[in-house]
Amino acid sequence: MVRILIAEDMVILRRALVALLEMEPDLDVVAELSSGDEIVPTAERLNPDVAVLDIDLPGRDGIEACELLSRTVPGCRSLILTSLGRPGNLRRALNANAAGFLLKDTEPEKLAAAIRAVARGEQVIDPDLALSTLCAGDNPLSSREIEVLRLAADGEDITAIARSLYLAVGTVRNYLTAVSVKLNARNRVDAVRIARDAGWI
């Protein structure tokens, strides 16, 4: 049996996934979660073989949880199942040691097959997204610029960002200006939109 943990905050979708997977004789859903913060503690307790994770979860997002899982519960491999099919998200997921990346409109049989493949140690990636990722440009932002832009995207003002990252206010302004220039954005809001669309934040 392949033991599965599912993390999805939309109740109807999570229950539908559980029902579909439980119809497979060799798949056993041992946990269904609605928050990213529950993923690692639950996996540490139950030792599932595969964690099927949404990206956009309350608390820790699915990709952050995937990266932490790969270190703390190495026997559990992660498959990202998301509606956020952006090249930047696929790159982030692969950097976080995800073993799979599929879109939520995947056929149920393909999802079940992907879970089995991931459990066997294989890697499964949506082919159309893989192709678009190869064609897309690399993220031009530094890790610090991404940190600053993420906080700006969360609605933090420059002073709060500076305090949170232990930077001078002028330094934060410089980072935001550099981000706008690199992304050819009209302003900070436009930079957030561009970076989100690309999956970089």
Side-chain angles (χ1 to χ4, degrees), residues 19-43:
L20 284 167
L21 294 176
E22 296 258 294
M23 290 171 67
E24 301 290 329
D26 59 333
L27 304 182
D28 181 24
V29 178
V30 296
E32 52 171 299
L33 310 173
S34 60
S35 163
D37 294 332
E38 300 174 276
I39 294 169
V40 173
T42 304

Side-chain angles (χ1 to χ4, degrees), residues 40-54:
V40 173
T42 304
E44 287 176 326
R45 187 164 43 85
L46 298 177
N47 286 308
D49 302 302
V50 178
V52 178
L53 310 175
D54 184 21

Side-chain angles (χ1 to χ4, degrees), residues 76-96:
C76 177
R77 306 187 80 225
S78 296
L79 187 156
I80 304 293
L81 184 66
T82 183
S83 57
L84 303 174
R86 300 170 183 151
N89 282 332
L90 175 55
R91 284 198 179 100
R92 278 184 64 216
L94 293 176
N95 289 337

Side-chain angles (χ1 to χ4, degrees), residues 113-136:
I115 290 171
R116 292 183 187 103
V118 165
R120 288 193 303 267
E122 299 171 26
Q123 194 166 53
V124 181
I125 298 171
D126 179 273
D128 293 335
L129 185 57
L131 182 60
S132 65
T133 300
L134 284 172
C135 296

